[in-house]
Amino acid sequence: MPTVDADALTEFARESIGSLGAPERTARAVADSLVDADLAGHGSHGVVRLDYYAGIVADGAVDPEAEPTHRSAGPFDQLVGGAAFGQLTGERAVSLLVEGARAEGVAIVGIRDSGHLGRIGEWAERVASEGLLFASWVNLQGGSQRVAPAGSADRRLGTNPLTFAVPTFGALPFDLVFDAATSQVAHGKIIERDGSGEELPETWTTTPSGDPVTRAAEFEDGTGALLPLGGRETGYKGFGLSTMAELFAGIVGDGPVASEERQEWTGNGGAFLAIDPAHFTTAEAVADRVEGLAAHLRLAEPIGDEEVLLPGEPEHRTTNRRREEGIPIEPTVADGLRELAAEQGVESALPPGLE
């Protein structure tokens, strides 16, 4: 498996997006976001998406020169991504949240038609790095329905992630970030198995017979559905969380929900929230709470070779390791990047290991 330097991969991604007609600032924002996902270990949201982005630009679903539009009412904002790259919507949402929470103590941004927002944890990390609490509820605006309600095998919902972040003010070498789909796994994990050829775990999916889908390609062709978080036994919990994410995102973003007539998918809807803890306590007190809770949790006796890792810790470790050692690229992804580079005329930008 080839391993690629993160900076070199970012430059290639920037060249690739720039070849689609995106201005330098846009190309850089998209490239940084994709490689950030690869660094964190979430390859399903990384440079593997470059080919997808090229396709939606070619189809006219994304205008590489577009910018999201904004409506403001005090600390409450709404963003419409329109035909812009979703990373621009995510960056603008973070900026508005930080500005609003600093001024008012709390800020809320509703999002609709965002384009592909990428890894929501990235936006949570950026807000937490400013010393603010973050929470978000995201839906897929009625498109990309791949998740069944508890007790069914019919596709009715998106993977609707919930994301939360708490700044640690130096108590830990990373901020605490929880970012997870309300389905058993994110759809990107299916995509990854489709590329690798691995079978899907039995606990991920269901069919009307109750049997799982074993091959990713079959799932991608429409067979079965993802189970809600909790699976066959306690999936009602994930189903409930997903339903609430669907409505929070749709209401605050003023966008469609899954019950509305199926439409051309134009990205995510979302409700993003930031709170300045300084209005309630001090940074030192937050750090003390985080440090005490972390120590308490780490005292738990591990099972076998397992390790107690805090939310955000796996991504922190993976990012540090991959910055030093490089980012591993699956052979099928590497082949796809080479083909894309040839199509776009940016072969010279391929980083060492992929050329």
Side-chain angles (χ1 to χ4, degrees):
M1 183 184 301
T3 301
V4 178
D5 175 75
D7 290 338
L9 190 60
T10 301
E11 284 306 304
F12 169 70
R14 184 188 61 78
E15 290 278 353
S16 176
I17 296 297
S19 75
L20 302 176
E24 172 64 24
R25 187 188 77 81
T26 298
R28 175 64 62 182
V30 176
D32 286 346
S33 179
L34 295 178
V35 177
D36 171 88
D38 281 317
L39 280 168
H42 296 287
S44 60
H45 289 69
V47 295
V48 70
R49 296 277 180 170
L50 286 171
D51 184 60
Y52 166 69
Y53 287 173
I56 57 179
V57 169
D59 291 342
V62 166
D63 175 357
E65 297 184 294
E67 295 277 345
T69 57
H70 169 222
R71 182 175 69 82
S72 177
F76 308 119
D77 298 272
Q78 284 186 329
L79 285 174
V80 179
F85 277 107
Q87 285 81 2
L88 300 185
T89 305
E91 282 194 344
R92 184 66 177 137
V94 169
S95 177
L96 291 168
L97 286 171
V98 172
E99 180 182 351
R102 288 269 184 270
E104 306 288 346
V106 62
I108 300 172
V109 175
I111 295 171
R112 68 169 293 167
D113 299 343
S114 68
H116 180 238
L117 276 174
R119 184 174 73 94
I120 307 301
E122 175 186 358
W123 315 122
E125 290 165 358
R126 294 194 189 192
V127 172
S129 72
E130 298 288 340
L132 303 172
L133 300 165
F134 175 88
S136 73
W137 300 259
V138 171
N139 71 12
L140 282 82
Q141 299 195 152
S144 299
Q145 295 180 12
R146 298 186 177 94
V147 185
S152 175
D154 289 346
R155 300 184 178 200
R156 286 291 182 269
L157 291 167
T159 51
N160 294 5
L162 298 177
T163 308
F164 302 91
V166 175
T168 60
F169 297 106
L172 298 171
F174 56 93
D175 292 320
L176 295 171
V177 178
F178 173 82
D179 177 27
T182 50
S183 50
Q184 281 285 70
V185 293
H187 177 235
K189 301 302 181 184
I190 303 285
I191 296 174
E192 288 178 344
R193 297 290 176 118
D194 194 17
S196 68
E198 294 178 79
E199 286 197 358
L200 303 179
E202 294 184 356
T203 55
W204 287 8
T205 61
T206 189
T207 59
S209 67
D211 296 320
V213 183
T214 59
R215 309 301 303 183
E218 294 177 3
F219 182 88
E220 292 299 280
D221 285 340
T223 300
L226 280 169
L227 287 162
L229 186 64
R232 291 176 173 81
E233 292 188 7
T234 58
Y236 61 89
K237 296 181 180 181
F239 172 52
L241 291 171
S242 184
T243 301
M244 293 301 157
E246 186 77 35
L247 290 168
F248 267 63
I251 293 168
V252 178
D254 195 26
V257 295
S259 60
E260 299 187 27
E261 184 177 352
R262 194 167 182 84
Q263 61 208 275
E264 291 298 321
W265 188 65
T266 50
N268 302 110
F272 282 18
L273 167 71
I275 299 172
D276 187 351
H279 286 258
F280 304 93
T281 184
T282 65
E284 293 77 15
V286 173
D288 286 345
R289 290 184 177 96
V290 167
E291 186 174 32
L293 181 59
H296 171 72
L297 295 173
R298 293 193 195 281
L299 285 173
E301 189 68 27
I303 299 172
D305 295 330
E306 298 288 334
E307 185 178 4
V308 176
L309 297 177
L310 299 171
E313 190 166 11
E315 288 81 0
H316 172 73
R317 290 186 179 185
T318 301
T319 296
N320 286 343
R321 184 176 67 252
R322 290 186 172 184
R323 284 201 179 279
E324 182 176 342
E325 301 175 359
I327 298 171
I329 305 293
E330 289 283 349
T332 53
V333 175
D335 290 343
L337 293 177
R338 295 186 191 103
E339 292 176 11
L340 182 65
E343 292 170 2
Q344 296 178 328
V346 294
E347 296 101 321
S348 62
L350 279 167
L354 291 183
E355 72 279 60

